[in-house]
Amino acid sequence: MRIGIDRMAFATTNDYLDLVELAKERGVDPNKFTIGIGQDLQAVVPPTQDIVTLGATAAKKLLTPELEKNISTVIVATESGIDNSKASAIYIKHLLGLSDFTRTVEMKEACYSATAAIQFAKGVVALNPQETVLVIAADIARYGLNTPGEVTQGAGAVAMLISRNPHILTLEDTTVAYSKDIMDFWRPLYATEALVDGKYSTNVYIEFFLQTFTRYQQLTGRELADFAALTFHMPFTKMGKKGLEGLLKDRNDEVAQRLRTQLTASQLFSRQVGNLYTGSLYLSLMSLLQNSDLRAGSRIGLFSYGSGAEGEFYTGILEDGYEHYMNNIQEELKHRHQVSVAEYEKLFSSQLGMNDRDIEFDVTNAPLPFVLKGQKDHQRIYEAK
């Protein structure tokens, strides 16, 4: 039985920041951001948006009444949780109007957990072929104003349906997971922004990719020539390039050139949105599929990484007509609204955050279909517009 990704959809906020403008304001050479880090634009989050609203918006784009009937489970992967106990999946399931006979859970392991969610979803479908699992990777990457990580912030959600006879990508059986207790990135319970050792984290990322890919080759006997493309977790696009070059080194034959070209295609959307944490790998996959000419039957490798640390390498085979089962991301990104650095700073500082007060936000002009209206009696209030 073929099991894999049947449909995909992406959602981000309506506001974005030009990183050249941020560089000028911070007194930094813009090339450090656009070339050194590999980022051009960054999603900016208004207080009326969070992982629940973004996740629900992404899912709404791919659901139909007929598809909803088969959803047995909703899994939300995030490291931007809104509650230490209650799963964000329950809020999203309610906003989408899904059946109460639906399993809802939230998963966490830094940026990696969406991949674990997909593997778990594959197991659910293998046991119950008539069921579909909705997997949502939703995150808001925050490092703080005037911090070294400021340029690698971002926000968004990728929603995926995992089912039998998928229309986009059939997942192959061999996967390699690899984990170690490493402090390269973490966020204590008392903090709204993450702590990170950037250079160390990059080195660990490369090590984990090489470890998992080498092990995959040992298990399967496959070579680089067997892949049409490799996709990477991209907290910033230069990270994916570092991973690929760590494997290719000085190799410059036809296979290496092809993989570099496809990497560039996979980076395009991340350059315009920023860091999605759990969703970054899957936005890069959508970018690859919408900015390249890959054919049905092509094998794609996916490297997932989450600090702390865990990595996984696995593969999938493209299905015929895959391009018809995703939303057109580039077209949607064209209609966003650019904010100034001052506006960005104001929005950054106006989030609900770790606040115990009653707060009501003005949602009159909120452009997305779901909004966070505020908080009352310690409960977050959501609304479908």
Side-chain angles (χ1 to χ4, degrees):
M1 178 171 55
R2 294 185 300 108
I3 301 173
I5 302 175
D6 183 61
R7 283 167 171 77
M8 302 182 78
F10 169 71
T12 188
T13 63
N14 191 56
D15 298 323
Y16 73 91
L17 175 68
D18 187 324
L19 294 180
V20 170
E21 296 301 315
L22 180 66
K24 292 176 180 177
E25 182 68 24
R26 300 292 186 250
V28 175
D29 180 353
N31 287 336
K32 182 177 180 180
F33 291 174
T34 60
I35 298 175
I37 301 295
Q39 298 299 127
D40 296 322
L41 310 175
Q42 184 178 103
V44 174
V45 186
T48 56
Q49 293 296 311
D50 66 4
I51 61 165
V52 169
T53 60
L54 291 171
T57 298
K60 183 179 176 65
K61 293 180 181 182
L62 55 71
L63 291 179
T64 66
E66 191 61 31
L67 291 171
E68 290 175 6
K69 294 177 183 177
N70 297 323
I71 294 176
S72 68
T73 304
V74 178
I75 307 175
V76 174
T78 187
E79 57 177 284
S80 310
I82 58 166
D83 190 284
N84 285 329
S85 179
K86 186 174 180 178
S88 53
I90 293 180
Y91 292 102
I92 292 177
K93 169 249 167 187
H94 173 73
L95 287 174
L96 295 173
L98 299 179
S99 167
D100 287 346
F101 292 100
T102 303
R103 182 186 297 111
T104 55
V105 292
E106 181 175 309
M107 298 183 62
K108 180 180 71 177
E109 205 318 283
C111 301
Y112 162 77
S113 59
T115 297
I118 288 174
Q119 299 297 351
F120 295 167
K122 183 180 177 183
V124 169
V125 176
L127 290 172
N128 305 281
Q130 75 282 3
E131 295 182 5
T132 297
V133 179
L134 172 59
V135 172
I136 299 171
D139 266 304
I140 296 172
R142 286 173 60 95
Y143 294 97
L145 303 177
N146 279 292
T147 64
E150 184 177 28
V151 68
T152 63
Q153 298 179 135
V158 176
M160 297 169 277
L161 292 181
I162 309 301
S163 72
R164 64 176 176 175
N165 301 324
H167 286 99
I168 296 178
L169 194 71
T170 293
L171 302 180
E172 296 188 287
D173 289 337
T174 302
T175 71
V176 178
Y178 185 78
S179 61
K180 285 185 176 182
D181 185 1
I182 290 173
M183 298 302 288
D184 61 328
F185 171 106
W186 68 103
R187 181 165 67 84
L189 287 175
Y190 53 80
T192 57
E193 283 82 48
L195 303 172
V196 59
D197 184 338
K199 185 175 182 179
Y200 178 47
S201 188
T202 298
N203 291 335
V204 174
Y205 173 102
I206 296 170
E207 176 200 346
F208 274 46
F209 169 56
L210 296 178
Q211 289 280 4
T212 55
F213 186 77
T214 299
R215 178 63 173 162
Y216 175 87
Q217 288 186 300
Q218 293 170 348
L219 294 173
T220 64
R222 293 187 180 124
E223 301 295 333
L224 275 177
D226 295 315
F227 293 90
L230 298 177
T231 55
F232 293 83
H233 165 58
M234 290 185 193
F236 54 93
T237 63
K238 198 66 172 287
M239 184 77 100
K241 178 177 174 61
K242 289 177 181 289
L244 182 61
E245 294 304 328
L247 178 66
L248 296 179
K249 296 183 170 49
D250 295 329
R251 183 169 171 174
N252 199 33
D253 57 12
E254 184 276 333
V255 171
Q257 292 176 14
R258 183 184 73 240
L259 293 177
R260 290 188 176 105
T261 298
Q262 302 295 18
L263 176 70
T264 298
S266 74
Q267 293 172 321
L268 294 178
F269 293 157
S270 294
R271 290 189 72 97
Q272 301 177 63
V273 176
N275 193 352
L276 302 190
Y277 286 160
T278 54
S280 291
L281 168 60
Y282 299 99
L283 180 60
S284 72
L285 174 61
M286 295 183 75
S287 184
L288 171 71
L289 298 183
Q290 294 187 18
N291 293 291
S292 67
D293 56 356
L294 292 176
R295 298 179 180 179
S298 296
R299 174 175 289 110
I300 297 175
L302 299 96
F303 173 62
S304 180
Y305 176 78
S307 294
E310 185 154 4
E312 183 164 343
F313 183 84
Y314 70 112
T315 58
I317 303 297
L318 270 183
E319 294 295 328
D320 187 39
Y322 64 85
E323 64 273 16
H324 302 300
Y325 296 90
M326 299 173 283
N327 64 311
N328 187 328
I329 296 176
Q330 188 59 61
E331 185 61 31
E332 293 183 7
L333 292 178
K334 291 178 182 178
H335 300 289
R336 293 182 298 168
H337 167 251
Q338 182 177 346
V339 298
S340 66
V341 174
E343 290 172 315
Y344 144 71
E345 292 177 340
K346 181 178 179 180
L347 290 170
F348 186 93
S349 301
S350 61
Q351 302 295 306
L352 184 58
M354 294 184 177
N355 201 320
D356 63 358
R357 303 193 311 271
D358 289 352
I359 295 176
E360 184 174 356
F361 297 128
D362 181 3
V363 299
T364 306
N365 298 315
L368 297 186
F370 303 102
V371 293
L372 171 62
K373 293 186 65 177
Q375 180 173 270
K376 186 173 182 180
D377 297 330
H378 308 285
Q379 300 177 38
R380 295 168 89 95
I381 309 299
Y382 293 99
E383 180 180 89
K385 296 195 72 179

Coordinates of all heavy atoms in Angstrom, one line a residue, residues 15-19 21-22 25-26 42-46 141-147 149-154 338-351:
D15 N 1.8 40.5 6.8 CA 2.8 41.6 6.9 C 4.2 41.0 6.7 O 4.5 39.9 7.1 CB 2.7 42.3 8.2 CG 1.4 43.0 8.4 OD1 0.8 43.5 7.5 OD2 0.9 42.9 9.6
Y16 N 5.1 41.8 6.1 CA 6.5 41.3 6.0 C 7.4 42.5 6.1 O 7.0 43.7 5.9 CB 6.7 40.6 4.6 CG 6.8 41.6 3.4 CD1 8.0 42.1 3.0 CD2 5.6 41.9 2.7 CE1 8.0 43.0 1.9 CE2 5.6 42.7 1.6 CZ 6.8 43.3 1.2 OH 6.9 44.1 0.1
L17 N 8.7 42.2 6.5 CA 9.7 43.2 6.6 C 10.8 43.0 5.6 O 11.2 41.8 5.4 CB 10.3 43.1 8.0 CG 11.5 44.0 8.4 CD1 11.1 45.5 8.4 CD2 12.1 43.6 9.7
D18 N 11.3 44.0 4.9 CA 12.4 43.9 4.0 C 13.7 44.0 4.8 O 13.9 44.9 5.6 CB 12.3 45.1 3.1 CG 13.4 45.0 1.9 OD1 14.5 44.5 2.2 OD2 13.1 45.4 0.8
L19 N 14.5 42.9 4.7 CA 15.7 42.8 5.5 C 16.8 43.8 5.1 O 17.7 44.0 5.9 CB 16.2 41.4 5.5 CG 15.2 40.4 6.2 CD1 15.7 39.0 6.2 CD2 14.9 40.8 7.7
E21 N 16.1 46.9 4.7 CA 15.7 48.0 5.5 C 16.1 47.8 7.0 O 16.6 48.7 7.7 CB 14.2 48.3 5.4 CG 13.7 48.7 4.1 CD 14.4 50.0 3.6 OE1 14.5 50.9 4.4 OE2 14.8 50.0 2.4
L22 N 16.0 46.5 7.4 CA 16.4 46.2 8.8 C 17.9 46.3 8.9 O 18.4 46.9 9.9 CB 16.0 44.8 9.1 CG 16.4 44.3 10.5 CD1 15.6 45.1 11.6 CD2 16.1 42.8 10.7
E25 N 18.8 50.0 9.3 CA 18.4 50.5 10.6 C 19.4 50.0 11.7 O 19.7 50.7 12.7 CB 17.0 50.0 10.9 CG 16.5 50.6 12.2 CD 16.2 52.0 12.3 OE1 16.0 52.6 11.2 OE2 16.2 52.6 13.4
R26 N 19.9 48.8 11.5 CA 20.8 48.2 12.5 C 22.3 48.5 12.3 O 23.1 48.1 13.0 CB 20.6 46.6 12.6 CG 19.2 46.2 12.9 CD 18.8 46.5 14.3 NE 17.6 45.9 14.7 CZ 16.5 46.6 14.9 NH1 16.5 48.0 14.8 NH2 15.3 46.1 15.3
Q42 N 11.0 38.9 5.6 CA 10.6 38.1 6.8 C 9.2 38.4 7.2 O 8.8 39.6 7.3 CB 11.6 38.6 8.0 CG 11.5 37.9 9.3 CD 12.5 38.4 10.3 OE1 12.2 39.1 11.2 NE2 13.7 38.0 10.1
A43 N 8.5 37.3 7.5 CA 7.1 37.5 7.9 C 7.1 38.2 9.3 O 7.9 37.9 10.2 CB 6.4 36.1 8.1
V44 N 6.1 39.1 9.5 CA 5.9 39.9 10.7 C 4.6 39.5 11.3 O 3.6 39.5 10.6 CB 6.0 41.4 10.5 CG1 5.7 42.2 11.7 CG2 7.4 41.8 10.0
V45 N 4.6 39.2 12.6 CA 3.4 38.7 13.2 C 2.6 39.7 14.0 O 3.1 40.3 15.0 CB 3.7 37.5 14.2 CG1 2.5 36.9 14.7 CG2 4.6 36.5 13.5
P46 N 1.3 40.0 13.6 CA 0.5 40.9 14.4 C 0.0 40.2 15.7 O 0.0 38.9 15.7 CB -0.6 41.3 13.5 CG -0.8 40.1 12.6 CD 0.6 39.6 12.4
A141 N 9.0 32.0 14.9 CA 10.4 32.1 15.3 C 10.7 33.5 15.9 O 10.7 34.5 15.1 CB 11.3 31.8 14.1
R142 N 11.1 33.5 17.1 CA 11.4 34.8 17.8 C 12.8 34.7 18.5 O 13.0 33.8 19.2 CB 10.3 35.1 18.9 CG 9.0 35.6 18.4 CD 8.0 35.7 19.5 NE 8.4 36.6 20.5 CZ 8.0 37.9 20.6 NH1 7.2 38.4 19.6 NH2 8.4 38.7 21.5
Y143 N 13.6 35.7 18.3 CA 14.9 35.8 18.9 C 15.1 37.1 19.6 O 16.0 37.3 20.4 CB 16.0 35.6 17.9 CG 16.0 34.2 17.4 CD1 15.4 33.9 16.1 CD2 16.6 33.1 18.1 CE1 15.4 32.6 15.6 CE2 16.5 31.8 17.6 CZ 16.0 31.6 16.4 OH 15.9 30.3 15.9
G144 N 14.2 38.1 19.4 CA 14.3 39.4 20.0 C 14.9 40.5 19.1 O 15.6 40.2 18.2
L145 N 14.5 41.7 19.5 CA 15.0 42.9 18.7 C 16.4 43.1 19.0 O 16.9 43.0 20.1 CB 14.1 44.1 19.1 CG 12.6 44.0 19.0 CD1 12.0 45.3 19.5 CD2 12.2 43.7 17.5
N146 N 17.2 43.5 17.9 CA 18.6 43.8 18.1 C 19.4 42.7 18.6 O 20.4 42.9 19.3 CB 18.8 45.1 19.0 CG 18.6 46.3 18.2 OD1 19.4 46.7 17.3 ND2 17.5 47.0 18.5
T147 N 19.1 41.4 18.3 CA 19.8 40.3 18.7 C 20.5 39.7 17.4 O 20.0 39.9 16.3 CB 18.9 39.2 19.3 OG1 18.0 38.7 18.4 CG2 18.2 39.8 20.5
G149 N 20.2 36.8 16.3 CA 19.2 35.9 15.6 C 18.0 36.6 15.0 O 17.2 36.0 14.4
E150 N 18.0 37.9 15.1 CA 16.9 38.7 14.6 C 16.6 38.5 13.2 O 15.4 38.4 12.7 CB 17.1 40.2 14.9 CG 15.9 41.1 14.5 CD 16.1 42.5 14.8 OE1 17.3 43.0 14.8 OE2 15.1 43.2 15.1
V151 N 17.6 38.3 12.4 CA 17.5 38.1 10.9 C 16.9 36.8 10.6 O 16.5 36.5 9.4 CB 18.8 38.4 10.2 CG1 19.8 37.3 10.5 CG2 18.6 38.5 8.7
T152 N 16.9 35.8 11.5 CA 16.4 34.5 11.2 C 15.1 34.2 11.9 O 14.7 33.1 12.3 CB 17.4 33.4 11.7 OG1 17.6 33.5 13.1 CG2 18.8 33.6 10.9
Q153 N 14.3 35.3 12.1 CA 12.9 35.1 12.6 C 12.0 34.9 11.4 O 12.4 34.9 10.2 CB 12.5 36.4 13.4 CG 13.4 36.6 14.6 CD 13.0 37.9 15.3 OE1 13.0 37.8 16.6 NE2 12.8 39.0 14.7
G154 N 10.7 34.6 11.7 CA 9.7 34.3 10.7 C 8.5 33.7 11.3 O 8.4 33.4 12.5
Q338 N 4.0 45.4 3.2 CA 5.3 45.7 3.8 C 5.1 46.6 4.9 O 4.4 47.6 4.8 CB 6.2 46.3 2.7 CG 7.6 46.5 3.3 CD 8.6 47.1 2.2 OE1 8.3 47.0 1.0 NE2 9.7 47.6 2.7
V339 N 5.8 46.3 6.0 CA 5.8 47.2 7.2 C 7.2 47.8 7.3 O 8.2 47.3 6.9 CB 5.4 46.5 8.5 CG1 4.0 46.0 8.4 CG2 6.4 45.4 8.8
S340 N 7.3 49.0 8.0 CA 8.5 49.6 8.2 C 9.2 48.9 9.4 O 8.6 48.1 10.1 CB 8.3 51.1 8.6 OG 7.6 51.2 9.8
V341 N 10.5 49.3 9.7 CA 11.2 48.7 10.8 C 10.5 49.1 12.1 O 10.3 48.3 13.0 CB 12.6 49.1 10.8 CG1 13.3 48.7 12.1 CG2 13.4 48.6 9.6
A342 N 10.0 50.4 12.2 CA 9.3 50.9 13.4 C 8.0 50.1 13.6 O 7.7 49.8 14.7 CB 9.1 52.4 13.3
E343 N 7.3 49.9 12.5 CA 6.0 49.1 12.7 C 6.3 47.7 13.1 O 5.6 47.1 13.9 CB 5.3 49.1 11.3 CG 4.7 50.5 11.0 CD 4.1 50.5 9.6 OE1 4.8 50.0 8.6 OE2 3.0 51.0 9.4
Y344 N 7.3 47.1 12.5 CA 7.7 45.7 12.9 C 8.1 45.6 14.4 O 7.6 44.7 15.1 CB 8.9 45.3 12.0 CG 9.9 44.4 12.7 CD1 9.7 43.1 13.1 CD2 11.2 44.9 13.0 CE1 10.6 42.3 13.7 CE2 12.2 44.1 13.6 CZ 11.9 42.8 14.0 OH 12.8 42.1 14.6
E345 N 8.8 46.6 14.9 CA 9.2 46.6 16.3 C 8.0 46.7 17.2 O 7.9 46.1 18.3 CB 10.2 47.7 16.6 CG 11.6 47.5 15.9 CD 12.6 48.6 16.1 OE1 12.1 49.7 16.4 OE2 13.8 48.4 16.0
K346 N 7.0 47.6 16.8 CA 5.8 47.7 17.6 C 5.0 46.5 17.6 O 4.5 46.1 18.7 CB 5.0 48.9 17.0 CG 3.7 49.2 17.7 CD 2.9 50.3 17.1 CE 1.6 50.6 17.9 NZ 0.9 51.7 17.3
L347 N 4.9 45.8 16.5 CA 4.1 44.5 16.4 C 4.8 43.5 17.2 O 4.2 42.7 17.9 CB 3.9 44.1 15.0 CG 3.0 45.0 14.1 CD1 3.1 44.6 12.6 CD2 1.5 44.8 14.6
F348 N 6.1 43.4 17.1 CA 6.9 42.4 17.8 C 6.7 42.5 19.3 O 6.6 41.5 20.1 CB 8.4 42.6 17.5 CG 9.3 41.5 18.1 CD1 9.6 40.4 17.4 CD2 9.8 41.6 19.4 CE1 10.4 39.4 17.9 CE2 10.6 40.6 20.0 CZ 10.9 39.5 19.2
S349 N 6.6 43.8 19.8 CA 6.4 44.0 21.3 C 5.0 44.0 21.8 O 4.8 44.2 23.0 CB 7.1 45.4 21.6 OG 8.4 45.4 21.2
S350 N 4.0 43.8 20.9 CA 2.6 43.8 21.3 C 2.0 42.4 21.3 O 0.8 42.3 21.4 CB 1.8 44.7 20.3 OG 1.9 44.2 19.0
Q351 N 2.8 41.4 21.3 CA 2.3 40.0 21.4 C 1.6 39.7 22.7 O 2.0 40.3 23.7 CB 3.4 39.0 21.1 CG 4.0 39.2 19.7 CD 3.1 39.0 18.6 OE1 2.5 37.9 18.5 NE2 3.0 39.9 17.7

